[in-house]
Amino acid sequence: MPNRDKTSLDYFDLSCSFFEDTKVQFVSARFGLKGEAILVRLLSRIYGYGFFYRFGKDERTLFAKWDNIRPAELKFLDDVLDESLKRGFFDAAIFKQFEVLTSRGI
């Protein structure tokens, strides 16, 4: 459940050029609309908790459950995550060290 104190947001803006960002386009090229949807859902989760979100193995499993990703699709989720980290959508160094999703833009 999201943290509803003053450090979280009730909503966030999604730029009209979000899908034109090359970071998003690489995810889209490899994973299609489902990959794009995962990015938006991850942003929603991050902003619902503040400006970062711990995303270890347990959190990935629950994210998949909450977002109706079947257990067989967990590898798909991990692949989308790996591509988004590789392309700089999320900060790979912070994720590697702390298993936290965030970025300078967030």
Side-chain angles (χ1 to χ4, degrees):
M1 170 149 269
N3 177 7
R4 293 296 177 202
D5 62 17
K6 296 291 182 188
T7 62
S8 66
L9 301 175
D10 292 327
Y11 68 92
F12 66 97
D13 291 331
L14 187 64
S15 168
C16 292
S17 62
F18 176 81
F19 297 103
E20 296 168 14
D21 184 321
T22 55
K23 298 168 192 169
V24 176
Q25 286 184 358
F26 277 110
V27 169
S28 181
R30 287 198 59 205
F31 306 106
L33 293 174
K34 203 167 193 177
E36 293 175 356
I38 287 172
L39 291 181
V40 173
R41 298 288 291 188
L42 285 171
L43 287 175
S44 180
R45 184 64 48 85
I46 291 166
Y47 286 124
Y49 281 85
F51 298 96
F52 63 90
Y53 181 65
R54 178 163 159 49
F55 203 61
K57 185 176 180 179
D58 288 344
E59 290 82 9
R60 285 195 295 273
T61 300
L62 292 177
F63 178 86
K65 179 183 180 285
W66 292 325
D67 293 312
N68 296 318
I69 297 172
R70 296 185 308 259
E73 294 177 302
L74 278 175
K75 177 158 177 16
F76 181 83
L77 173 61
D78 288 339
D79 290 344
V80 171
L81 178 61
D82 289 344
E83 185 70 19
S84 65
L85 290 165
K86 175 183 168 184
R87 300 298 174 178
F89 188 84
F90 298 115
D91 188 305
I94 291 174
F95 183 77
K96 183 178 179 181
Q97 187 173 0
F98 302 107
E99 289 190 317
V100 166
L101 292 177
T102 192
S103 73
R104 175 169 244 158
I106 293 171

